Amino acid sequence: MQWRDEGTILSVRPHGETSAIVEVFTAGHGRHLGVVRGGASRRQAAVLQPGSRVAMDWRARLDEHIGAAVIEPLASRAGVLSDRMALLGLNAVCSILSFSLPEREPHPALFAMTEPLFDAFGAAQEGWPLAYLRWELGVLEELGYGLDLTSCAATGTREDLAYVSPRSGRAVSQAGAGDWAARLLPLPACLLGQGPATPDELRQGLVLTGYFLEHHLAPDLGTRPLPEARARLVAALERLAPPAG
Amino acid sequence: MARATDEIEDLIALMARLPGLGPRSARRAVLHLIRKRGALMAPLAATMAHVAETARECARCGNIAAGDICDICANPARTGTEICVVEDVADLWAMERGQAFKGRYHVLGGTLSALDAIGPEDLGIPKLLERIASEGVSEVILALNATVDGQTTAHYIADALEGRGVTVTSLAQGVPIGGELDYLDDGTIQAALRARKRF
């Protein structure tokens, strides 16, 4: 078995004294692991960092083997190391992908959403928090927990959508919510494509996606809690812009 | 291959667990020790037994010490107002080899890791904050690795120290002594360019 693909490193673990097990989110082979001989060397250290865009040559005698990987750098994205928020974002993305994606299952749509986000972290671009929020929605969608934000679950209207049902993941309008509003999750306008996100909208959006990641996705994946890296990112975003009032 | 006695085989097996040694090199090392029993093996065994008895973690900084407090923390000539934060004892020793830093250290014992679920409480971060409050520290130098985990930890500590009245600095990143630009990775060149200074 042998293939070559491109992707981004999610994690690197030492394997013995000289090698490393590298986990890469690839375009055509999904989340894939491989043993990199000499991966613990100083020469490889700069390449084998989470967030690095790489080409991965993988080969194994049998498909079920972990296999040997040869990694070549395509882009380092090392700019992220000097940007505190981008670093938190990178950690959150890598750990959520590592946590939620099954091994060796291609997710081309999610890959296409994730690469620009990694690039934004690496270039320390502004405005990535909204892209990150939409990426979390994309993760839910890709893994079968997508939210339906097109129309109200109660009235069918497409106007005035203001909440999401924590059970069904469907949008609910202000009128349709009625007395149930307190039990529903607020739906920020930025997720309906209505203008840029304010800090409060970002916060509401992360509460919304966090709820579905934590209460719908995570329980189906076993007993592990959501990665701590996401909570650190959310806390840091809140510190940047504390809740109004 | 002829088998040595059980005790020697046990010794070879133990040596083979050391970093840098495998079964064959451990066998060679043990054979060398046996040949130099008086000159090497006996003093080595005595020293190892002594170190095993006395070595412990410094109660203040996390360095390896022969008593409760390590030599660096006990040395009055060291500046108490500067603390250099390192990931582990090997990094502390590397800094000491440079002989450029005359302050004290704080060994974290690892870095924050999103995937391994290592949080601030698992490291020596709360203890560092206590030291800063109690020892009159004015500068904290973050000497952590230029890796994603190392820099995540550095930013976390810098955040935790905000508003505590200390200057937080970090080691520079860039071209190493003897380094040739052609052989440097993109990230190092980017970091070096960002940290350029007037010549």
Side-chain angles (χ1 to χ4, degrees), chain A residues 11 13 17 49 78 81 84 91, chain B residues 19-20 115-116 148 152 155 159:
Chain A
S11 73
R13 291 169 190 280
E17 282 179 41
Q49 287 296 315
L81 293 182
R84 181 174 65 98
N91 277 324
Chain B
L115 293 170
D116 297 326
V148 168
T152 302
H155 287 300
D159 278 353

Side-chain angles (χ1 to χ4, degrees), chain A residues 33-103:
Chain A
L33 277 70
V35 175
V36 179
R37 307 280 173 216
S41 70
R42 275 191 298 173
R43 204 169 63 86
Q44 291 263 39
V47 177
L48 299 185
Q49 287 296 315
S52 292
R53 184 162 168 80
V54 295
M56 182 183 194
D57 273 302
W58 182 88
R59 72 170 62 189
R61 192 168 60 79
L62 296 174
D63 195 33
E64 56 264 35
H65 287 175
I66 189 168
V70 176
I71 299 291
E72 283 175 36
L74 295 176
S76 81
R77 290 170 178 146
V80 75
L81 293 182
S82 55
D83 185 321
R84 181 174 65 98
M85 293 306 295
L87 199 52
L88 288 170
L90 177 84
N91 277 324
V93 171
C94 288
S95 54
I96 286 176
L97 288 173
S98 191
F99 170 81
S100 60
L101 289 186
E103 268 187 62

Side-chain angles (χ1 to χ4, degrees), chain A residues 1-7 24-33 56-58 63 101-108 111:
Chain A
M1 310 296 301
Q2 186 172 358
W3 49 257
R4 181 184 173 88
D5 203 349
E6 291 185 5
V24 182
F25 183 35
T26 61
H29 297 83
R31 185 171 71 88
H32 211 293
L33 277 70
M56 182 183 194
D57 273 302
W58 182 88
D63 195 33
L101 289 186
E103 268 187 62
R104 304 183 176 200
E105 192 178 285
H107 288 277
F111 183 84

Side-chain angles (χ1 to χ4, degrees), chain B residues 123-142:
Chain B
L123 304 175
I125 294 177
K127 203 164 144 191
L128 171 66
L129 302 182
E130 276 174 32
R131 285 187 69 190
I132 286 163
S134 64
E135 294 179 20
V137 175
S138 61
E139 181 176 358
V140 174
I141 302 165
L142 300 172

Side-chain angles (χ1 to χ4, degrees), chain B residues 71-107:
Chain B
D71 290 348
I72 295 173
C73 287
N75 185 350
R78 290 275 185 164
T79 314
T81 54
E82 291 175 1
I83 284 186
C84 179
V85 179
V86 292
E87 183 181 326
D88 60 30
V89 175
D91 296 337
L92 186 156
W93 290 350
M95 291 290 292
E96 282 296 285
R97 277 201 308 272
Q99 297 184 352
F101 180 62
K102 300 298 177 199
R104 297 206 167 110
Y105 292 92
H106 189 84
V107 181

